[in-house]
Amino acid sequence: MGFFSKVKQALSKTTAQLGTWLTGGKVDEAFLEELGDALLQADVGLPVTEKLVDAVRQQARGKELSADELKTLLQQEIATLLTPCEQAFNLPSKQPAVLFMVGVNGSGKTTTLGKLAAQWGRERKKVHIAAADTFRAAAVEQLQHWADKAKAQLTAPTQDGADPASLVYRAYDEAKAHNADVLIVDTAGRLQNRSDLMEQLGKMVRVVQKHDADAPDATLLVLDATVGQNAIQQVRAFKEVAQVTGLIITKLDSSAKGGVVLALAEEFALPIHYLGLGEGVDDLQNFNANDFAEALLSTT
């Protein structure tokens, strides 16, 4: 199944909801109000909803639009919004490139890390993983599974509750010794309202910079699409303590409302590198703006 088909399947909840509204008609204020309601219910958020409704108003006010004409107009506007965020993630050409994976509990961060490690392993990259989520034993076991699958090295804590910053420092030394192409740091899931845990993340960044002043080379924030507009608050919080360089949006399945992707693009304009469209190792897909816009409005 290609990207478009997977996204279309993943966004079935949103498209079914929008499909009851995107039926065409005379573009008057009542029509535009109903369109705005539909977009808000799809988790698009107020700023993007206002922008899309205004685009329809400016281009088609007083006209009769068919359902296909309305979808085409909206699709073009959505693709224009999303295209600047369509940026493939490329590993920096240094050894090791340092990549931090951050996100709240339950976002799919550790699984996403494993999928990236497996992908780069298939590309014959030397991957080293730092299990810096030292407070969750299951996370270390999960990472060991992925490390074995990717033929990657793993630096694990020697005891429960070990200092994450010290582990990251040791992991860098080991990655350097093994000539690793990338060191991926799995950080503990943290809620944005826990200032102590957020400060711990800042400490890990400072520690790795003792090895490499330019590290981390990338900090990817993993967001769960099912949390809707709460994802906005998560990005704001993580940007305060870490230089977030890009987003990975996971759990885009039939339970998610895909409109939040538009809201994130509008407010932050951060690269959206990947979408998580399932549990399989190949279900981490590069983000494609045009295909996403088309799939979001595809009701057939």
Side-chain angles (χ1 to χ4, degrees), residues 163-225:
D163 177 44
S166 297
L167 183 137
V168 171
Y169 191 89
R170 175 163 58 91
Y172 187 96
D173 280 336
E174 294 177 1
K176 192 75 173 176
H178 292 136
N179 296 313
D181 295 294
V182 57
L183 169 62
I184 316 176
V185 179
D186 182 40
T187 64
R190 44 192 28 89
L191 296 172
Q192 63 266 31
N193 59 357
R194 285 288 303 275
S195 59
D196 55 333
L197 291 177
M198 295 299 271
E199 170 54 29
Q200 184 187 82
L201 175 60
K203 181 181 177 183
M204 283 189 280
V205 170
R206 293 191 297 273
V207 163
V208 80
Q209 286 175 344
K210 293 180 179 180
H211 281 300
D212 179 356
D214 296 325
D217 300 287
T219 300
L220 301 186
L221 173 57
V222 181
L223 299 168
D224 175 354

Side-chain angles (χ1 to χ4, degrees), residues 15 18 22 70-71 74-75 78 292-299:
T15 56
L18 288 175
L22 303 182
L70 177 58
K71 289 174 188 175
L74 287 172
Q75 182 183 322
I78 291 169
F292 188 91
E294 184 178 353
L296 186 69
L297 301 175
S298 176
T299 55

Side-chain angles (χ1 to χ4, degrees), residues 22-250:
L22 303 182
T23 55
K26 184 176 180 180
V27 180
D28 54 20
E29 287 306 313
F31 176 95
L32 293 168
E33 184 175 349
E34 289 185 348
L35 174 61
D37 288 343
L39 292 168
L40 286 173
Q41 289 177 39
D43 252 344
V44 169
L46 185 59
V48 177
T49 293
E50 290 178 339
K51 179 178 285 190
L52 293 177
V53 169
D54 190 56
V56 175
R57 178 184 289 111
Q58 295 301 319
Q59 297 182 52
R61 181 164 45 187
K63 297 179 181 178
E64 286 281 346
L65 290 185
S66 69
D68 286 343
E69 288 171 332
L70 177 58
K71 289 174 188 175
T72 297
L73 195 164
L74 287 172
Q75 182 183 322
Q76 291 171 344
E77 293 296 325
I78 291 169
T80 298
L81 170 66
L82 294 177
T83 295
C85 300
E86 182 189 313
Q87 296 183 37
F89 182 77
N90 296 309
L91 282 175
S93 56
K94 58 189 289 191
Q95 289 185 310
V98 180
L99 169 61
F100 271 64
M101 303 289 290
V102 300
V104 303
N105 289 307
S107 64
K109 174 178 50 60
T110 302
T111 298
T112 300
L113 184 157
K115 292 178 181 179
L116 287 174
Q119 173 184 309
W120 291 327
R122 290 196 302 269
E123 296 171 1
R124 299 188 181 281
K125 301 288 187 185
K126 286 187 176 181
V127 179
H128 198 104
I129 300 171
D133 185 353
T134 60
F135 298 98
R136 191 167 68 93
V140 179
E141 295 173 8
Q142 192 177 5
L143 282 177
Q144 186 64 66
H145 165 77
W146 283 109
D148 293 342
K149 203 168 194 175
K151 295 181 172 55
Q153 300 285 332
L154 177 70
T155 299
T158 55
Q159 60 185 26
D160 292 341
D163 177 44
S166 297
L167 183 137
V168 171
Y169 191 89
R170 175 163 58 91
Y172 187 96
D173 280 336
E174 294 177 1
K176 192 75 173 176
H178 292 136
N179 296 313
D181 295 294
V182 57
L183 169 62
I184 316 176
V185 179
D186 182 40
T187 64
R190 44 192 28 89
L191 296 172
Q192 63 266 31
N193 59 357
R194 285 288 303 275
S195 59
D196 55 333
L197 291 177
M198 295 299 271
E199 170 54 29
Q200 184 187 82
L201 175 60
K203 181 181 177 183
M204 283 189 280
V205 170
R206 293 191 297 273
V207 163
V208 80
Q209 286 175 344
K210 293 180 179 180
H211 281 300
D212 179 356
D214 296 325
D217 300 287
T219 300
L220 301 186
L221 173 57
V222 181
L223 299 168
D224 175 354
T226 64
V227 304
Q229 291 293 303
N230 189 46
I232 301 290
Q233 302 300 326
Q234 291 179 21
V235 178
R236 288 176 183 160
F238 278 95
K239 278 172 61 69
E240 288 182 4
V241 296
Q243 185 60 50
V244 175
T245 59
L247 305 178
I248 300 176
I249 302 173
T250 65

